[in-house]
Amino acid sequence: MATRAAPVPELERDHPCFDCAVRELAVCGVLEPAVLRDFKKSGPIAHYAAGETVVFEADAAANVYSLTGGLLRLSKLLPDGRRQIAGFLFPGDFLGITLEEEHAFTAEAVAPSTLCRFPRRQFDAFVAANPALERRLYAVAAHELAAARQQLVLLGRKTATERVASFMLILAGRCHPIVEDQDISFPMSRADIADYLGLRIETVSREISALKAARVIQLTGRQSFRVADLGRLEQLAEG
């Protein structure tokens, strides 16, 4: 998930990134307008329909990506053919931080998604020339490490109720701050949630229904909800 950076520089209306809705969250938001303009020239916009693959596991890591709209899921196939979802990327998140020459996960669009795509070599050169961007990437990498540790606790120690409650909090955490009675979208399927949490689809559906029945959350649509009782949701997530 994206982390918020320091206040971003103001842009003129003719700047190619003026209308970017996630510039405050994106790694490139720390660049000065003139540098950002040059940076954007090296990164064409790529569009993916729901279900399309952005990168496959073991693909050469020739590009890096900044997600400006939509939702991606990161997954890996296990030796026995099962799928494990490692996480979801939201607008403002960055794809491609790796010291390896290959992508460790498959990244697929859950919903129609838009990304700025940058050749890795050019991106690395920009990072080397711009310390602010390097610091921002360091913060993103540290956040990803913390998220990976959180995932280990989620899968290794928590009950089904705690896992689903934690996941709803993760989704709600995309709002800053978390506000009760605010619509929160979750376009991923129950199967995606199950593969992320290490549960059965039926278990995920049952736990979501239980949260609704207890008036902890309110389902406002097929793929949206509101937090009705934040304190209770946090208690359930912590056990």
Side-chain angles (χ1 to χ4, degrees):
M1 293 184 181
T3 56
R4 287 183 180 262
V8 298
E10 293 292 329
L11 299 181
E12 299 292 335
R13 286 189 171 272
D14 66 346
H15 197 284
C17 300
F18 177 79
D19 291 327
C20 179
V22 296
R23 191 165 59 90
E24 182 182 352
L25 297 173
V27 295
C28 52
V30 298
L31 296 175
E32 292 298 320
V35 179
L36 181 61
R37 186 186 293 273
D38 290 339
F39 181 64
K40 183 70 179 87
K41 289 178 182 177
S42 68
I45 295 175
H47 299 277
Y48 295 87
E52 281 194 288
T53 299
V54 179
V55 297
F56 286 97
E57 179 183 348
D59 273 355
N63 299 295
V64 297
Y65 305 81
S66 181
L67 180 62
T68 59
L71 178 71
L72 303 182
R73 65 173 165 251
L74 302 179
S75 64
K76 179 182 284 286
L77 280 179
L78 302 179
D80 60 5
R82 289 177 298 161
R83 179 185 69 163
Q84 175 64 55
I85 292 182
F88 298 94
L89 298 186
F90 296 82
D93 284 336
F94 190 79
L95 172 65
I97 295 179
T98 178
L99 296 176
E100 306 300 328
E101 296 300 318
E102 299 177 345
H103 287 287
F105 300 97
T106 294
E108 302 163 287
V110 176
S113 300
T114 304
L115 302 96
C116 291
R117 181 179 64 220
F118 302 98
R120 186 177 176 183
R121 291 183 182 277
Q122 288 181 259
F123 181 79
D124 288 346
F126 258 97
V127 171
N130 292 274
L133 184 57
E134 184 176 28
R135 290 191 296 271
R136 179 69 176 135
L137 276 176
Y138 178 83
V140 170
H143 184 79
E144 289 188 358
L145 178 59
R149 289 172 174 168
Q150 182 185 44
Q151 176 74 348
L152 288 175
V153 173
L154 196 67
L155 295 178
R157 294 293 181 184
K158 294 197 172 188
T159 66
T161 297
E162 292 165 355
R163 293 184 196 189
V164 173
S166 296
F167 182 72
M168 305 307 267
L169 275 178
I170 290 172
L171 293 177
R174 300 300 300 187
C175 306
H176 299 273
I178 299 175
V179 179
E180 292 184 1
D181 297 328
Q182 178 177 350
D183 273 9
I184 299 163
S185 172
F186 62 117
M188 64 285 292
S189 67
R190 297 292 194 272
D192 284 346
I193 298 172
D195 285 349
Y196 177 68
L197 298 178
L199 298 171
R200 293 181 178 274
I201 299 174
E202 298 81 7
T203 304
V204 170
S205 296
R206 183 176 65 249
E207 294 295 339
I208 290 176
S209 296
L211 291 174
K212 176 187 175 184
R215 299 185 179 179
V216 176
I217 64 170
Q218 176 188 358
L219 298 180
T220 56
R222 190 168 178 269
Q223 292 180 307
S224 63
F225 73 99
R226 294 180 181 179
V227 177
D229 188 338
L230 178 57
R232 181 59 178 153
L233 186 61
E234 289 174 336
Q235 288 176 354
L236 290 170
E238 292 299 323

